[in-house]
Amino acid sequence: MRLLVLLATALLLTVEAQAQVYAPYEEYDGYGGYYYEDPYSPYPPPPYYEPAPRYREPLYDRRQPSTRGARGTIVIATREHTLVYTTASGEQFAYPIAVGREGKQWYGTTRVVSKRMHPEWRPTASMRQKNPRLPEVVKPGPANPLGTRAIYLADGLLRIHGTNDPSSIGTNASSGCFRMYREDVEELYDMVQPGTRVIVQW
């Protein structure tokens, strides 16, 4: 009888020991019950696993226009950081933008007077006075704050342009101009012509 009790106890201990080997599941996830990033896993990644997409600028963060503009008009909603262009046929394109910092914002109606591909940037005299390290001119290239396209408005200083700082889009960051992602400003550049009406709203 004592022998049977000893055998039963040994059997229970063996089962518990085996259970302890397979008990932890902390590193398992929802992919079919195994952790696909475990380098020691005997299983391949599940067939439905898709790697995370590569980082891309949110170039096409297209927005639902909250304002209606006349055909052939650009409407800039400063508070919403959005530029809406309504084509002559009535199609609308809405783009995220950066606008002027507090105290540097302008509101009113103007028009496109000219356009330039790969523009030079010439800091104003007041900019250079505040920051003497600024050069007289910045040639086209990755360091150019105007990016690859510039659309000049009536006063000649206010512009819609690209940027070398895409992280600023959606913020109040500029000295009054309107910054756009590169692909967006290049698309807008191809559509608008001198004479296009531009309405800048709060």
Side-chain angles (χ1 to χ4, degrees), residues 101-193:
R101 299 185 296 275
E102 188 174 349
K104 296 287 187 180
Q105 296 175 358
W106 178 88
Y107 308 99
T109 300
T110 183
R111 61 188 174 85
V112 173
V113 293
S114 63
K115 309 189 300 179
R116 187 167 298 165
M117 296 176 64
H118 305 291
E120 294 180 343
W121 179 57
R122 296 179 181 273
T124 63
S126 61
M127 288 179 181
R128 296 190 66 214
Q129 188 175 7
K130 291 177 184 176
N131 184 359
R133 292 180 299 173
L134 286 175
E136 289 187 17
V137 60
V138 177
K139 297 291 185 181
N144 191 312
L146 300 184
T148 61
R149 302 287 188 277
I151 300 169
Y152 294 84
L153 306 183
D155 65 359
L157 296 177
L158 201 59
R159 294 171 291 242
I160 299 167
H161 60 77
T163 181
N164 62 347
D165 181 16
S167 66
S168 68
I169 302 299
T171 69
N172 299 3
S174 76
S175 295
C177 293
F178 307 103
R179 302 177 185 174
M180 302 179 69
Y181 290 121
R182 174 178 174 172
E183 281 77 359
D184 288 348
V185 75
E186 290 178 358
E187 180 176 84
L188 182 68
Y189 183 97
D190 289 341
M191 291 190 290
V192 303
Q193 300 301 326

Side-chain angles (χ1 to χ4, degrees), residues 51-95:
R54 294 180 185 173
Y55 172 77
R56 288 186 60 191
E57 287 179 359
L59 301 172
Y60 296 101
D61 176 20
R62 297 297 168 85
R63 305 180 174 185
Q64 276 304 107
S66 61
T67 183
R68 291 271 174 195
R71 295 187 177 196
T73 302
I74 293 172
V75 177
I76 294 173
T78 302
R79 183 179 59 171
E80 297 176 8
H81 302 95
T82 302
L83 181 152
V84 179
Y85 174 59
T86 305
T87 67
S89 63
E91 187 177 5
Q92 286 195 315
F93 295 84
Y95 305 99

